[in-house]
């Protein structure tokens, strides 16, 4: 399928069916750590980047089997709120598949807009990113569209929390030597305490990044959490489930559809797709022979990356 992928096991959302609403890689920022790769088109213009009818058709086909899911999640190649039909799709899912909870992964750069706020009001959990509290760090780490101010992003998250009934889980992804200084952490902590999100989730570089940056250790993240002292803080960690056995051709397609969007280690693929590591390794070897994936090292661990085209 072109517009949906998974279900995958998300460290934050459990078993999640992903929905891609923009092509690779249209976004309002070009974050150094992005697992999808460098941004190819940086914009804040909303448009129907992929046909809404095609997204609905794929969702109808998949959800007809009534799969067990924790969430249907708008995420993928770029910034989902750039799609002008997001609100229509949210309403469609709520009207036709009310048993499923919806989640949105967003960089929060468009939440200042009235139409975007209206679009997200039907979503159960919104997970906005906030990696910096000062403009120089914001520009260095997130590399936003020219003129975008971090104070506006912070205000937009505040508006989301105030005006929407959704759960708001703010994620901060820490990058060594960029946003982990005592001064930046102190300012971030002040912002988080002022915003009062339902959760503050601490993350770091865990997959091969778009540019050469490094992550923090768990102990360093724990130190940041302790210094800030926000009561609803969560350090994101990997987890997994085992749930099914797939024929090899089907498993190969599911692995490819996962790793073409983001590189993953074998263990994470196994957790995401609910199959044994041995089956994943066999499928990956075939995909490598077919020239559809390659392996690369990150942090001393092999990752599988899908080759598009």
């Amino acid at each position: 399928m072109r517009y949906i992928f998974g279900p995958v096991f998300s460290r934050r959302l459990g078993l999640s069916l992903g929905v891609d609403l923009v092509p690779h890689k249209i976004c309002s920022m070009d974050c150094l750590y992005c697992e999808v790769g460098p941004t190819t088109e940086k914009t804040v213009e909303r448009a129907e980047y992929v046909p809404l009818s095609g997204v609905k058709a794929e969702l109808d086909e998949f959800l007809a089997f009534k799969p067990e899911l924790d969430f249907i999640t708008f995420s993928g190649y770029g910034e989902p709120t750039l799609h002008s039909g997001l609100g229509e799709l949210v309403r469609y899912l709520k009207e036709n598949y009310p048993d499923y909870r919806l989640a949105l992964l967003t960089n929060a750069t468009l939440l200042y807009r009235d139409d975007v706020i209206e679009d997200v009001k039907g979503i159960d959990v919104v997970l906005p990113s906030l990696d910096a509290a000062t403009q120089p760090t914001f520009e260095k780490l997130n590399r936003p569209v020219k003129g975008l101010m971090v104070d506006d992003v912070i205000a937009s998250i505040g508006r989301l929390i105030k005006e929407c009934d959704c759960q708001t889980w703010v994620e901060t992804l820490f990058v060594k030597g960029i946003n982990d200084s005592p001064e930046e952490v102190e300012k971030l902590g002040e912002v988080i305490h002022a915003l009062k999100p339902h959760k503050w989730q601490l993350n770091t570089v865990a997959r091969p990044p778009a540019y050469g940056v490094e992550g923090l250790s768990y102990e360093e993240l724990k130190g940041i959490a302790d210094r800030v002292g926000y009561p609803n803080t969560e350090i994101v960690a990997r987890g997994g489930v085992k749930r099914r056995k797939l024929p090899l051709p089907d498993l190969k397609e599911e692995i490819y559809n996962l790793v073409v969007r983001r590189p993953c280690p074998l263990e994470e693929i196994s957790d995401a797709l609910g199959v044994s590591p041995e089956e994943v390794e066999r499928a990956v070897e075939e995909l490598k022979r077919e020239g559809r994936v390659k392996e690369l090292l990150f942090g001393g661990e092999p990752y599988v990356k899908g080759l598009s085209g």
Side-chain angles (χ1 to χ4, degrees):
M1 293 189 176
R2 296 183 63 185
Y3 311 117
I4 69 173
F5 59 98
V8 299
F9 187 84
S10 163
R11 287 174 288 162
R12 296 193 286 166
L13 293 168
L15 197 59
S16 169
L17 179 68
V19 181
D20 258 333
L21 293 179
V22 293
H24 187 283
K25 185 198 175 227
I26 298 175
C27 194
S28 52
M29 303 201 296
D30 185 21
C31 299
L32 296 178
Y33 58 77
C34 186
E35 65 198 32
V36 178
T39 295
T40 54
E41 181 179 344
K42 196 187 296 186
T43 182
V44 289
E45 294 298 320
R46 299 193 85 197
E48 189 175 358
Y49 288 100
V50 300
L52 204 57
S53 58
V55 178
K56 290 178 180 178
E58 289 191 2
L59 284 165
D60 287 339
E61 181 180 348
F62 189 85
L63 296 177
F65 295 95
K66 298 181 179 180
E68 292 186 10
L69 302 170
D70 293 307
F71 284 95
I72 298 172
T73 305
F74 304 109
S75 62
Y77 282 136
E79 172 51 40
T81 60
L82 286 170
H83 197 289
S84 56
L86 174 62
E88 180 181 339
L89 186 57
V90 169
R91 291 188 292 273
Y92 180 80
L93 287 167
K94 285 296 184 181
E95 290 169 4
N96 293 278
Y97 305 98
D99 293 338
Y100 291 109
R101 301 179 73 201
L102 306 182
L104 167 68
L105 303 183
T106 176
N107 62 24
T109 54
L110 275 77
L111 292 176
Y112 70 93
R113 295 178 52 140
D114 293 342
D115 57 342
V116 175
I117 284 290
E118 288 301 315
D119 284 354
V120 306
K121 282 185 176 178
I123 296 176
D124 300 284
V125 179
V126 179
L127 300 93
S129 297
L130 181 64
D131 301 324
T134 63
Q135 190 67 22
T137 301
F138 179 55
E139 292 181 3
K140 183 177 181 180
L141 178 57
N142 299 122
R143 309 208 297 178
V145 168
K146 186 177 180 180
L148 190 61
M149 307 299 291
V150 72
D151 286 345
D152 294 333
V153 175
I154 293 168
S156 296
I157 297 174
R159 181 181 181 185
L160 172 75
I161 293 170
K162 182 178 179 181
E163 297 186 18
C164 299
D165 292 332
C166 63
Q167 286 272 311
T168 303
W169 302 350
V170 174
E171 179 192 31
T172 301
L173 194 145
F174 285 96
V175 175
K176 186 173 288 295
I178 298 182
N179 64 340
D180 59 338
S181 69
E183 297 78 14
E184 191 71 31
V185 168
E186 181 179 355
K187 292 183 184 302
L188 272 166
E190 292 172 358
V191 169
I192 293 300
H193 278 280
L195 288 173
K196 296 181 174 62
H198 297 92
K199 289 183 183 181
W200 183 38
Q201 298 183 318
L202 278 59
N203 208 342
T204 194
V205 185
R207 299 186 181 91
Y211 304 93
V213 293
E214 297 180 10
L216 275 61
S217 67
Y218 178 87
E219 290 72 23
E220 289 170 317
L221 292 176
K222 181 67 165 54
I224 290 172
D226 291 342
R227 289 204 303 274
V228 171
Y230 188 67
N232 300 314
T233 297
E234 178 180 76
I235 299 176
V236 178
R238 286 180 182 171
V241 293
K242 298 291 183 284
R243 72 186 194 284
R244 59 179 177 163
K245 183 174 178 65
L246 286 174
L248 183 59
D250 294 344
L251 177 57
K252 286 166 53 181
E253 291 308 308
E254 294 215 13
I255 291 174
Y256 178 78
N257 287 333
L258 175 61
V259 300
V260 77
R261 288 174 167 85
R262 60 180 191 181
C264 297
L266 291 176
E267 180 183 357
E268 188 170 313
I269 296 171
S270 173
D271 289 342
L273 301 181
V275 296
S276 72
E278 293 78 16
E279 290 177 281
V280 168
E281 188 171 356
R282 178 185 172 198
V284 166
E285 286 302 315
E286 286 208 7
L287 288 167
K288 286 165 60 179
R289 286 196 293 270
E290 294 167 3
R292 300 177 69 193
V293 305
K294 67 176 182 179
E295 285 192 2
L296 61 149
L297 285 177
F298 176 69
E301 183 177 9
Y303 280 69
V304 181
K305 178 180 176 63
L307 304 175
S308 58

